[in-house]
C-alpha cells in the first residue's frame, strides 16, 4: 500500500457489519491513530537513518460481541477489515511511506471528520484536528547506550540485565512517555512491556525473564500523545512515536566476561582474553566517565545502573584480577 493511494479529504468511516447486539457508542471505548518513525540500531552509536514511516488506526471495543466484522470503508484505508488479535482492539494495517515528508504530504495537517455507522443509531460524526504543525513528533531519536549494545548480544539470562538509553522531553502540548517492549522474534510472547516516564534512562530485566539461546527484538519508543475526551465514541488518541529497535540473541546462561573489554585496538572490542590491554582501556573510559564503564551498581552482580562510580572500578578490578 503506497501513500499515492491516500486521499487528502480523509473522511474515515468505521462500518460495523454485525449480528445482534448492534454496535453502540457506549461499546466503543477508544480510537487511536499512531504515527511512527522506526530506526534500527545496528551498532554502539545512536541510529540516524529511519527505515519506515507509517500510520495505523485502532478501534477499541468493550467486548467481542460488539462487532462480528469491523471495516474502515473510505479510500484512505481502502475498505480494510480490521484485525483483532485479542478480541477487543481492531487494528488496521500500517500505511507506510519512505520518508516522513511523503507521509505528511499524503495526509497533511487538517480537520478530519470521523464517522462511525451503526444500524440502530445511524451515523454520528465528530471532527478532530491532526496537529502536524505543532511539531509533535518527538525531537529525540531513541538510542540504547554503547554498553547495552555491547552486552545485549549473547546476554546471560540467569542474571539481571539493565537496558540503558537516552531520555527525551515531550512537547508542551502533549502527554509523553517512554515504552520498552521485548518480544521473541519468531513467537508471540512479550515478556517485557513497560511504560516509563520520559525522564527514564534505564530498565532492569530480572534474571530468567528471557529464554536462553533465543532471538529477540527490544524496541524503545518515545511518544507524544494528544487525548480528546470530546469524541462521541469514547476517547480519541493521536500519538506520534519514534521507535528504535535492536535484534539480539540471548546466550546460554553463562555470565559474560566483564574484564574483557578491548583487544588492544582501543575500540572497545572484546577478544576472548583478559590482558593489560583491557585494564588500560577500562581505566581510560572510567576516567572519561563513559557509560561504557558502567559495569556494576555496587551489588557485585555485574548489574549496570546508568552511572559511573567507584563501584564500577572496584568491580572491574576484581574481575580483572580473577581473569574474567
Amino acid at each position: 500500500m503506497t501513500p499515492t493511494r491516500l486521499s487528502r479529504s480523509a473522511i474515515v468511516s468505521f462500518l460495523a457489519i454485525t449480528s445482534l447486539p448492534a454496535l453502540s457508542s457506549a461499546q466503543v471505548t477508544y480510537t487511536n491513530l499512531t504515527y511512527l518513525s522506526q530506526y534500527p540500531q545496528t551498532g554502539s552509536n545512536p541510529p540516524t537513518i529511519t527505515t519506515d514511516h507509517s500510520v495505523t488506526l485502532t478501534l477499541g471495543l468493550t467486548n467481542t460481541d460488539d462487532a462480528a466484522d469491523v471495516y474502515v470503508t473510505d479510500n484512505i484505508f481502502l475498505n480494510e477489515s480490521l484485525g483483532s488479535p485479542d478480541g477487543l482492539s481492531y487494528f488496521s494495517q500500517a500505511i507506510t511511506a519512505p520518508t516522513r515528508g511523503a507521509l505528511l504530504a499524503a495526509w497533511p495537517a487538517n480537520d478530519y471528520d470521523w464517522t462511525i455507522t451503526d444500524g440502530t443509531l445511524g451515523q454520528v460524526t465528530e471532527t478532530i484536528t491532526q496537529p502536524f504543525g505543532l511539531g509533535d513528533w518527538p525531537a529525540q531519536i531513541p538510542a540504547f547506550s554503547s554498553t547495552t549494545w555491547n552486552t545485549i548480544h549473547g546476554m546471560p539470562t540467569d542474571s539481571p540485565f539493565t537496558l540503558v538509553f537516552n531520555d527525551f522531553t515531550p512537547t508542551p502540548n502533549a502527554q509523553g512517555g517512554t515504552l520498552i517492549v521485548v518480544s521473541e522474534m519468531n513467537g508471540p510472547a512479550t515478556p517485557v512491556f513497560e511504560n516509563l516516564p520520559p525522564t527514564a534512562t534505564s530498565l532492569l530485566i530480572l534474571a530468567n525473564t528471557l529464554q536462553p539461546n533465543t532471538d529477540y527484538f527490544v524496541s524503545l519508543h518515545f511518544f507524544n500523545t494528544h487525548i480528546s475526551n470530546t469524541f462521541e465514541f469514547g476517547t480519541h488518541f493521536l500519538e506520534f512515536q519514534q521507535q528504535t529497535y535492536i535484534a539480539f540473541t540471548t546466550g546460554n546462561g553463562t555470565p559474560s566476561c566483564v574484564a574483557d573489554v578491548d583487544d588492544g585496538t582501543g575500540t572497545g572490542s572484546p577478544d576472548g582474553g583478559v590482558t593489560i590491554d583491557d585494564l588500560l582501556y577500562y581505566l581510560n573510559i572510567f576516567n572519561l566517565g563513559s557509560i561504557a564503564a558502567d559495569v556494576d551498581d555496587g551489588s557485585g552482580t555485574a548489574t549496570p545502573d546508568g552511572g559511573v562510580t567507584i563501584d564500577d572500578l572496584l568491580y572491574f578490578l576484581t574481575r580483572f584480577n580473577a581473569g574474567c
Side-chain angles (χ1 to χ4, degrees):
M1 193 176 298
T2 63
T4 57
R5 300 174 69 182
L6 302 180
S7 167
R8 289 177 179 270
S9 62
I11 298 177
V12 181
S13 296
F14 296 101
L15 177 59
I17 304 175
T18 70
S19 58
L20 292 177
L23 183 65
S24 69
S25 59
Q27 293 167 319
V28 180
T29 57
Y30 69 90
T31 59
N32 188 3
L33 271 178
T34 300
Y35 294 83
L36 174 67
S37 292
Q38 293 181 302
Y39 299 78
Q41 186 165 343
T42 57
S44 58
N45 293 325
T48 57
I49 300 175
T50 63
T51 58
D52 194 26
H53 301 270
S54 63
V55 56
T56 56
L57 180 146
T58 310
L59 171 67
L61 302 176
T62 57
N63 62 70
T64 56
D65 292 331
D66 286 339
D69 296 287
V70 177
Y71 288 88
V72 178
T73 59
D74 87 321
N75 56 358
I76 289 182
F77 288 95
L78 303 175
N79 199 31
E80 179 186 345
S81 178
L82 304 188
S84 180
D86 58 10
L88 297 177
S89 299
Y90 289 76
F91 301 89
S92 73
Q93 295 181 14
I95 296 175
T96 62
T99 67
R100 185 180 298 180
L103 182 64
L104 302 189
W107 204 353
N110 209 337
D111 290 340
Y112 291 87
D113 291 331
W114 294 64
T115 302
I116 297 180
T117 303
D118 177 85
T120 302
L121 296 177
Q123 289 189 345
V124 179
T125 301
E126 289 285 336
T127 299
I128 62 170
T129 300
Q130 187 186 74
F132 285 137
L134 301 178
D136 290 312
W137 236 299
Q140 294 93 329
I141 297 174
F144 293 97
S145 72
S146 58
T147 298
T148 294
W149 168 263
N150 289 328
T151 56
I152 198 171
H153 301 282
M155 60 171 283
T157 58
D158 55 1
S159 299
F161 186 86
T162 300
L163 298 167
V164 181
F165 47 88
N166 62 316
D167 62 353
F168 86 106
T169 303
T171 56
N173 57 314
Q175 298 184 24
T178 298
L179 172 67
I180 288 186
V181 178
V182 183
S183 57
E184 288 187 38
M185 195 176 300
N186 299 310
T190 305
V192 178
F193 186 93
E194 294 286 343
N195 278 297
L196 303 170
T199 54
T201 57
S202 65
L203 174 68
L204 177 66
I205 299 179
L206 298 177
N208 302 313
T209 301
L210 306 183
Q211 298 297 315
N213 303 310
T214 302
D215 296 330
Y216 285 97
F217 284 115
V218 55
S219 58
L220 173 63
H221 305 244
F222 291 165
F223 58 87
N224 288 319
T225 303
H226 294 268
I227 301 175
S228 172
N229 293 314
T230 60
F231 193 62
E232 178 72 19
F233 294 134
T235 300
H236 176 71
F237 299 90
L238 183 60
E239 189 165 270
F240 298 84
Q241 288 192 20
Q242 302 253 55
Q243 174 197 347
T244 291
Y245 60 90
I246 293 176
F248 68 99
T249 303
T250 55
N252 59 8
T254 303
S256 60
C257 185
V258 172
D260 179 21
V261 292
D262 192 59
D263 59 1
T265 62
T267 60
S269 302
D271 58 4
V274 177
T275 67
I276 191 64
D277 294 324
D278 298 292
L279 177 61
L280 294 175
Y281 179 80
Y282 183 82
L283 291 175
N284 181 54
I285 62 175
F286 177 82
N287 288 330
L288 293 174
S290 170
I291 194 65
D294 176 24
V295 294
D296 190 59
D297 59 0
S299 64
T301 59
T303 303
D305 58 5
V308 178
T309 68
I310 191 64
D311 294 325
D312 299 292
L313 178 60
L314 294 176
Y315 184 74
F316 178 84
L317 291 176
T318 299
R319 295 294 295 269
F320 178 80
N321 289 330
C324 189

